[in-house]
Amino acid sequence: SGGLEMLPLSFAEIDAAQRLSGYNKGNGGGDLTFKAPPGKRMHAELLLSSCGDPCASESNFYDPSSPRTGKWSEEEIAFRDEMVPHFVEGSLPLTHGLKLIEFLSGVLKSKPSRLTKKMKHAKLSTRHFHFDTGYIRSAERARELSRLEQCFVNSISDPVERSEIKFHMRREWRDHLAERLTALRIQFDAEEWLRSVDAMDRRITLAKSRSRMVKRRFMMGKAMEKDASSPTPGIFIDQTNNGGRDGDDVDLE
């Protein structure tokens, strides 16, 4: 078909980075299971050994609502500062009236407070986008912006975080472009792109559900571990009323 087409989001790079990260953790991580006291048959061992590290599971999927924090790198600062004049000139494919702080925090996946601390005099909340050309006229300046963006991405040492920020920025730029084209009433083929956005939303929902399940199983295992080592009645195990049975103390009712 002719005309404009919005390319779909690709999950290949982010999936590959997460698989590599999971493999490395599996080969280098410690054993999180605990040993039950002699004579005690504990289901908690199975729970802990099957769920792994709940803290690691939180960062095992891309979540656009979870902002980046921490120290600014020189590459991120250079890319950030290069975007500001293009924003002011109206030479980016953005929607009219967009605030500078909303644009920067969205593209950089950063907390707004992280930006305001470093850009106190940039009028982040009062500067709004006013559309001019919607594109960078100078090919040299366009290449420089792309180069600084790539330098920022490459400066991130963690492969999972690097793949996530690359994925995130592609998504942000395409979202902005789609909104701008819609505002200008320019037709474009968005079918495959919208399918990829729906797939991303489903992946995020499923990953969050799995993360909550892992946390619940982990906390249940910890509660059983505490009960097993306590002489007083616990949440799952009551060692004061076992009916003379030493080998079966678990009460899951």
Side-chain angles (χ1 to χ4, degrees):
S1 61
L4 297 175
E5 179 183 2
M6 188 73 68
L7 296 176
L9 298 168
S10 173
F11 304 99
E13 188 171 349
I14 196 170
D15 286 346
Q18 289 178 350
R19 284 195 298 268
L20 178 62
S21 175
Y23 174 81
N24 291 337
K25 288 178 180 178
N27 282 272
D31 183 8
L32 291 177
T33 61
F34 67 89
K35 301 302 180 181
K40 309 296 182 183
R41 296 202 300 269
M42 295 295 295
H43 297 325
E45 287 187 30
L46 298 176
L47 290 171
L48 279 177
S49 61
S50 62
C51 75
D53 184 357
C55 298
S57 67
E58 290 183 352
S59 59
N60 199 31
F61 61 91
Y62 163 71
D63 183 3
S65 64
S66 178
R68 296 173 58 249
T69 59
K71 185 179 179 180
W72 289 84
S73 67
E74 294 182 2
E75 292 82 2
E76 185 177 12
I77 293 173
F79 176 51
R80 179 202 68 191
D81 292 347
E82 184 69 18
M83 287 192 289
V84 174
H86 293 297
F87 180 94
V88 174
E89 294 167 8
S91 59
L92 295 174
L94 306 176
T95 52
H96 185 79
L98 179 68
K99 289 183 179 181
L100 178 57
I101 192 169
E102 294 174 349
F103 166 65
L104 292 178
S105 63
V107 171
L108 297 174
K109 202 173 181 282
S110 174
K111 293 181 66 174
S113 59
R114 183 169 176 261
L115 286 160
T116 55
K117 288 179 181 178
K118 285 291 184 179
M119 306 176 71
K120 296 180 180 179
H121 305 293
K123 300 179 181 179
L124 294 173
S125 298
T126 57
R127 281 185 173 179
H128 296 75
F129 183 78
H130 298 285
F131 185 82
D132 184 17
T133 60
Y135 68 95
I136 303 174
R137 288 191 176 97
S138 169
E140 182 179 353
R141 292 185 65 193
R143 285 193 294 268
E144 178 64 7
L145 181 62
S146 295
R147 186 188 70 82
L148 292 174
E149 181 183 47
Q150 190 61 46
C151 287
F152 161 53
V153 171
N154 292 339
S155 69
I156 301 174
S157 59
D158 181 76
V160 173
E161 184 182 358
R162 183 169 59 248
S163 66
E164 286 183 352
I165 192 64
K166 184 185 291 188
F167 179 91
H168 176 82
M169 288 196 295
R170 287 173 179 169
R171 172 178 172 267
E172 283 289 311
W173 284 119
R174 291 176 197 184
D175 283 350
H176 285 307
L177 178 58
E179 290 178 2
R180 189 61 204 168
L181 291 174
T182 302
L184 294 174
R185 297 183 180 179
I186 298 176
Q187 294 185 353
F188 62 99
D189 185 355
E191 183 176 354
E192 293 301 321
W193 172 64
L194 291 175
R195 285 181 180 175
S196 67
V197 172
D198 289 340
M200 179 194 68
D201 291 338
R202 289 194 299 269
R203 288 160 63 106
I204 293 172
T205 300
L206 179 60
K208 287 183 176 181
S209 176
R210 287 175 175 171
S211 178
R212 288 192 294 268
M213 180 183 67
V214 166
K215 289 180 182 178
R216 286 196 296 267
R217 296 174 69 184
F218 182 81
M219 296 308 296
M220 182 182 295
K222 281 297 184 182
M224 286 184 172
E225 179 183 15
K226 184 177 180 181
D227 290 354
S229 59
S230 176
T232 59
I235 299 175
F236 298 101
I237 304 172
D238 183 358
Q239 299 195 58
T240 62
N241 185 22
N242 58 17
R245 294 173 298 171
D246 292 332
D248 209 348
D249 301 57
V250 181
D251 180 10
L252 296 179
E253 294 296 321

